[in-house]
Amino acid sequence: MRIGIALDYSRGFHEAVDRVVALEKSGLDIAVVAEAYSYDAVSQLGYLAAKTNTVELASGVFPIYIRTPSLLAMTAAGLDFVSDGRFRLGIGTSGPQVIEGFHGVEFDAPIERTREIVEICRQVWRRERVRYDGKHYQLPLPADRGTGLGKALQLINHPVRERIPILIAALGPKNVELTAEIAEGWHPVFFYPEKASSIWGGALAAGAAKRDPALGPLDVMVHASLAIGDDVEERLAWTKPQLGLYLGGMGAKGRNFYHNVATRYGYGEVADRIQELYLAGRKREAIEAVPDELVRGLSLIGPRGFVAERLAAFAEAGVTTMLVSPLAADSAEAMRYVEEVLELRPA
């Protein structure tokens, strides 16, 4: 199992980078920078590339609706260049709240768009003259629909690699199936190892049946909050604000993908209550309604032996890369937590 770290996009970025630089020497495998309605992830990944030497870097994730396919490919090629071939392109749909509410872009056809974007990116990286006639993207734009000549172009630069690994953040069955078919990696959210197969196993198997062997095994990259010790039980509450936000506030009723995942895990009534409270503006109550049992199942919080058991459970469920977010009182404690996970990880 590979161990990585998810960098907090809301605060303390420079301090987080300093930890990545130090943890790189201890064997950290990958660092992932998220992008929501925060600072963009590209500038921070470029900064991280300049500060590190061996750790892999990834976007976690670039929303597909706010960049053209060619720009996604150009950005990935640029980050792969400045990092000497250490970048992985993480893409995903995000959710309607972010895409429509913050960017003012219609959230539509996520599965079709994802497939077309992946195919276009790989054309760009191969330095082909990009010609694509999809349902949602046409390159070049036909001459009769614009002021150009309808001439296909190719990337000027020669990318470090013509096949940059692609990670897709996917939750719905059809999108997970597509990911298992076409991507190098899958990045689900709120992964509960004992329950994951019951909601995603069929989709993963269906996609794997159509997968090109040249892609290699699917890298299953999962995130979990982390605290190790005999006195960290209160840290369960530290992760509840994020769960409350995602389950309750990231989308309207019927359009919240994270709420759907919790429901499929068997927490439907709880998720409904959290959403009801959150959308009514009662955020504190919504956060308090998040059950310890759910947090514990999604996290690595507890004594050293318990965390080792949870890591083994994630590995048994097919997780190949574990991204951790330390719930620490200070930087030294955060470093210690990650170093312990590096020691505890399954072979």
Side-chain angles (χ1 to χ4, degrees), residues 21-89:
V21 171
L23 288 167
E24 184 177 52
K25 300 173 184 177
S26 299
L28 188 73
D29 294 296
I30 188 167
V32 177
V33 179
E35 184 176 270
Y37 42 103
S38 54
Y39 291 138
D40 77 289
V42 180
S43 56
Q44 298 186 71
L45 283 161
Y47 179 85
L48 193 56
K51 291 285 187 176
T52 56
N53 296 295
T54 60
V55 68
E56 284 192 345
L57 308 174
S59 51
V61 298
F62 293 150
I64 62 172
Y65 294 98
I66 61 175
R67 296 175 175 89
T68 67
S70 294
L71 179 56
L72 279 168
M74 292 164 61
T75 300
L79 288 169
D80 205 44
F81 170 70
V82 298
S83 65
D84 295 321
R86 292 185 285 131
F87 181 67
R88 291 178 167 232
L89 174 62

Side-chain angles (χ1 to χ4, degrees), residues 191 193-194 308-319 346:
F191 190 93
E194 289 83 1
E309 291 175 2
R310 296 307 295 157
L311 284 168
F314 278 101
E316 179 67 22
V319 175

